[in-house]
Amino acid sequence: MTGTGGTAPATYSPSPTTHKNKASLFQQDWVRPDGRGFHQCRPAFFRTGAVNAASGSAYAEFGNTKVIVSVFGPRESKKAMMYSDIGRLNCNVSYTTFASPVRGQGSDHKEYTAMLHKALEGAIILESFPKTTVDVFALVLESGGSDLPVVISCASLALADAGIMMYDLVASVSVSCLSKNLVIDPVFEEENSQDGSLMITCMPSRYEITQLTVTGEWSTPKINEGMQLCLDACAKLAKIMRSCLKEAASDSQE
Amino acid sequence: MVVAMEEDEKKQQAAVMVTPGEVLGRVSDVKPGRGAYAALHNDTVYASLTGFCCTIPPFPDSSDQRPTVEVTGHKAHGPVPQPGSLVIARITKVMAKTASADIMCVGPNSVREKFTGIIRQQDVRATEIDKVDMHLSFRPGDIVKALVLSLGDSRAYFLSTAKNELGVVSAESIAGATMVPVSWTEMQCPLTGQIENRKVAKVAS
């Protein structure tokens, strides 16, 4: 099962499992499989404290995309590492074998690890834990589209749950271009037949972007529209994340 | 879900829950304490942890009359040894000029995963530091109270027991019983009466 995510244009790869063939004629009247509007995100569900063994953890469910992230640390760096007077961040993103519709080896999204690292390292105050390492392990339980944005948002919640000092929470949303339409928070089928994708990871309270990934062909007005959509959605997502953290904290107080 | 930030006049009055990135005030009004930081590009103080935000009034005679705002984490992650903190460690290896130890507690909190520390010959005690015999100061398995001198190198933190109240707190004798301190250099086994040499910590009674 070679389901590629939102980073490579999946239009040209043969996917024998998806029976939709890319009939671009019909994309003008694309109806989203779950009945959402083009500019409507899936309802987000977050919970922290899912994993007891970890310093911090979070579970996120966006429709059919389910992700669990555990954070360990700060803990001692491996002896082989050189001394560093700022902390280190170590990330890993892996898929379960049952994450995709066809049970397989787990998709080859090795680049997600590096992308998660780049998205998070701008937001963590590394100087607060010199010489030690924070490990972030993300496990995608079910891949229903828009995996990496969900992983990034969930990872930032897990880091906040672990008490790691951060400049701000990190929220991430992606937008897919389906011929003339921009659809936000694409599902798996939309990602497979997209012409291009735009993923933004931002720190909403500071209004700063930590990562921007664009694939495919985009005209300038489309990019502006896509960015605006993403930034608005990130701000709303951040509100949901904050309320989840506050609820969890006040629950533990009682 | 907007939380209104209130400036309170007393410490501990503000029981407002904040999350990382929330605005706590302007740099001209407040000083960032623990759990908060100042962003210089727009002169705002933001929170960096999840927890309760409290405002500490300034000292009446200090030059900077801004109150300090800090965030006390509701859930602190396992502590990390900082220079100047008191730690409890277990000796793992004793060599000619150094002793290795596993740091298990930092202050009153235990760590989730151990850190490695090292006690060098010159840091064992304060007097006659070049005449120290490591084997007469520590044995593997001893529990010591030490002070973190510095972050050290990539492999270990540098620890020191060069104070009266630092040193071996608990040790097992060759016979297997917990020894009783006799002086600052000796401990005695209650079962056999044997005296063994350690750098003993003076426990305040």
Side-chain angles (χ1 to χ4, degrees):
Chain A
M1 166 66 204
T2 54
T4 52
T7 48
T11 28
Y12 306 120
S13 72
S15 341
T17 54
T18 55
H19 298 295
K20 265 196 198 5
N21 73 58
K22 187 191 172 311
S24 48
L25 316 160
F26 294 110
Q27 290 217 338
Q28 314 295 343
D29 312 320
W30 179 267
V31 171
R32 302 191 78 172
D34 46 1
R36 285 183 281 150
F38 284 168
H39 294 178
Q40 196 181 350
C41 289
R42 290 173 290 191
F45 174 79
F46 287 109
R47 263 300 177 265
T48 55
V51 178
N52 282 345
S55 301
S57 58
Y59 169 73
E61 202 177 293
F62 281 50
N64 282 338
T65 303
K66 301 176 175 70
V67 167
I68 194 165
V69 177
S70 334
V71 169
F72 292 90
R75 56 184 182 181
E76 210 169 23
S77 300
K78 289 203 170 12
K79 299 283 194 287
M81 308 272 209
M82 281 188 31
Y83 176 81
S84 88
D85 46 4
I86 57 170
R88 268 189 267 260
L89 176 67
N90 178 30
C91 297
N92 194 332
V93 177
S94 59
Y95 277 65
T96 55
T97 50
F98 44 85
S100 39
V102 174
R103 185 183 182 282
Q105 198 43 39
S107 321
D108 56 352
H109 290 296
K110 294 200 175 44
E111 71 271 14
Y112 281 3
T113 299
M115 293 172 78
L116 176 64
H117 188 280
K118 287 204 176 54
L120 292 177
E121 69 180 350
I124 301 181
I125 306 183
L126 293 170
E127 292 83 16
S128 65
F129 49 97
K131 207 174 102 138
T132 51
T133 298
V134 167
D135 291 315
V136 177
F137 296 112
L139 184 65
V140 178
L141 300 168
E142 189 179 340
S143 156
S146 197
D147 299 338
L148 187 57
V150 176
V151 165
I152 293 175
S153 311
C154 191
S156 117
L157 259 193
L159 283 167
D161 185 48
I164 310 279
M165 290 200 173
M166 297 200 286
Y167 291 115
D168 192 3
L169 289 179
V170 172
S172 173
V173 169
S174 74
V175 142
S176 258
C177 182
L178 293 171
S179 66
K180 294 272 186 304
N181 305 313
L182 282 183
V183 293
I184 200 169
D185 203 10
V187 285
F188 192 66
E189 302 148 44
E190 290 164 348
E191 275 182 340
N192 280 349
S193 49
Q194 69 188 358
D195 289 326
S197 79
L198 166 71
M199 180 183 84
I200 285 199
T201 307
C202 79
M203 297 198 283
S205 172
R206 295 172 55 118
Y207 207 56
E208 287 175 352
I209 292 187
T210 62
Q211 190 184 46
L212 170 79
T213 308
V214 181
T215 65
E217 192 184 326
W218 290 77
S219 61
T220 313
K222 261 218 153 41
I223 283 224
N224 285 334
E225 194 191 335
M227 271 188 60
Q228 221 27 66
L229 274 178
C230 281
L231 288 173
D232 292 337
C234 281
K236 297 203 180 85
L237 186 58
K239 285 208 187 86
I240 301 177
M241 286 163 72
R242 284 189 208 285
S243 65
C244 164
L245 276 179
K246 287 184 178 154
E247 246 180 71
S250 50
D251 280 347
S252 67
Q253 284 290 320
E254 288 148 21
Chain B
M1 212 76 60
V2 176
V3 176
M5 300 303 308
E6 310 128 320
E7 289 286 323
D8 285 271
E9 56 285 347
K10 282 208 195 93
K11 175 176 157 174
Q12 262 118 35
Q13 283 297 50
V16 185
M17 175 82 67
V18 294
T19 51
E22 280 191 29
V23 176
L24 299 179
R26 305 212 51 88
V27 168
S28 47
D29 301 330
V30 290
K31 222 172 18 180
R34 208 166 45 85
Y37 71 96
L40 298 170
H41 70 274
N42 59 357
D43 289 333
T44 321
V45 173
Y46 294 96
S48 61
L49 287 178
T50 310
F52 289 106
C53 164
C54 40
T55 317
I56 302 172
F59 290 114
D61 49 355
S62 73
S63 55
D64 186 2
Q65 281 298 309
R66 295 176 297 170
T68 307
V69 62
E70 62 174 39
V71 180
T72 43
H74 77 281
K75 171 186 173 182
H77 58 73
V80 173
Q82 300 292 339
S85 47
L86 269 180
V87 297
I88 311 272
R90 184 191 296 126
I91 305 284
T92 49
K93 203 159 52 166
V94 180
M95 294 169 290
K97 292 213 184 297
T98 56
S100 282
D102 282 346
I103 298 174
M104 300 185 308
C105 307
V106 177
N109 308 311
S110 70
V111 294
R112 280 176 171 260
E113 298 184 36
K114 63 155 181 68
F115 292 92
T116 308
I118 204 167
I119 308 175
R120 295 170 299 177
Q121 184 187 23
Q122 64 264 37
D123 299 323
V124 173
R125 59 177 192 226
T127 53
E128 288 189 334
I129 56 178
D130 43 344
K131 294 204 181 62
V132 170
D133 186 343
M134 296 304 290
H135 295 282
L136 297 180
S137 310
F138 304 113
R139 287 288 160 131
D142 290 353
I143 309 289
V144 303
K145 185 178 260 195
L147 183 73
V148 178
L149 280 180
S150 74
L151 297 176
D153 56 18
S154 64
R155 282 167 302 195
Y157 289 85
F158 286 162
L159 305 175
S160 160
T161 52
K163 278 203 182 127
N164 287 348
E165 62 270 16
L166 302 176
V168 175
V169 178
S170 166
E172 225 178 62
S173 72
I174 304 173
T178 307
M179 291 198 286
V180 173
V182 171
S183 75
W184 74 285
T185 50
E186 289 170 341
M187 290 183 113
Q188 185 171 33
C189 170
L191 290 183
T192 57
Q194 215 173 354
I195 302 270
E196 291 183 34
N197 288 305
R198 299 285 197 281
K199 197 275 174 189
V200 184
K202 184 184 172 74
V203 178
S205 49

